[in-house]
């Protein structure tokens, strides 16, 4: 028979963690020195100029290239899209800034800003579309089946 070697493996338990190392609160000495712990505040309003510029660039892209809006309403030339995008963002920023909400971090103001941008972008492309094409004959652009039958029976 062949001899087999056996290795002995020794395991040790992890070092014990003291109560203060496991605690999520500050040690007593720190709280005595500073009774008001530092809190981090994150504010998202007002947006930085870099963020506002990114919004304008995205608006220009949406208004001047193929998008869901352009498929339905058509697209704008780059120069026109640029001026429209700037005015949309400026107006939305002004409306949102004038809006007063009680929250400290600006979430509700940011929502108002976003809604204003969406509303104004849609209004802009609809207005451009109405100028570019004459109004439909019967008000909604769809001939009813009854009108078609009447016209064909008169002929």
């Amino acid at each position: 028979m062949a001899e087999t070697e056996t290795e002995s493996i020794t395991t040790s338990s992890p070092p014990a963690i003291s109560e203060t190392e496991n605690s999520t609160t500050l040690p007593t000495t720190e709280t005595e020195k500073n009774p008001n712990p530092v809190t981090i505040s994150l504010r998202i309003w007002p947006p930085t100029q870099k963020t506002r510029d990114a919004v304008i660039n995205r608006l220009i892209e949406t208004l001047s290239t193929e998008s869901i809006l352009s498929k339905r309403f058509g697209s704008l030339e780059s120069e026109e899209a640029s001026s429209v995008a700037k005015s949309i963002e400026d107006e939305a920023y002004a409306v949102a800034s004038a809006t007063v909400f009680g929250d400290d971090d600006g979430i509700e103001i940011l929502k108002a800003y976003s809604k204003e941008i969406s509303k104004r972008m849609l209004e802009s492309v609809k207005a451009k579309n109405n100028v570019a094409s004459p109004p439909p004959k019967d008000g909604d652009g769809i001939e009813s089946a009854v009108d078609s039958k009447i016209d064909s029976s008169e002929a």
Side-chain angles (χ1 to χ4, degrees), residues 41-53:
S41 176
L42 177 65
R43 295 191 49 85
I44 58 175
W45 190 264
T48 63
Q49 188 59 48
K50 183 177 178 181
T51 300
R52 292 182 69 191
D53 291 341

Side-chain angles (χ1 to χ4, degrees), residues 46-142:
T48 63
Q49 188 59 48
K50 183 177 178 181
T51 300
R52 292 182 69 191
D53 291 341
V55 168
I56 291 169
N57 289 334
R58 182 67 175 129
L59 280 169
I60 293 168
E61 182 181 333
T62 302
L63 293 169
S64 64
T65 61
E66 188 172 322
S67 65
I68 293 171
L69 287 176
S70 70
K71 288 179 182 176
R72 179 154 184 180
F73 300 107
S75 60
L76 304 176
E77 296 296 322
S78 282
E79 293 158 7
E80 183 182 7
S82 179
S83 66
V84 168
K86 287 175 185 169
S87 68
I88 289 171
E89 197 281 333
D90 284 341
E91 292 167 7
Y93 182 82
V95 168
S97 293
T99 306
V100 177
F101 286 102
D103 73 353
D104 292 337
D105 58 5
I107 296 280
E108 294 300 319
I109 298 172
L110 188 64
K111 285 180 187 178
Y113 174 68
S114 179
K115 285 181 182 181
E116 279 298 314
I117 287 173
S118 297
K119 181 179 95 173
R120 290 172 187 279
M121 182 172 53
L122 191 57
E123 288 171 354
S124 296
V125 294
K126 281 182 175 181
K128 185 237 179 220
N129 191 37
N130 287 339
V131 170
S133 61
K137 190 168 77 175
D138 62 350
D140 64 355
I142 302 171

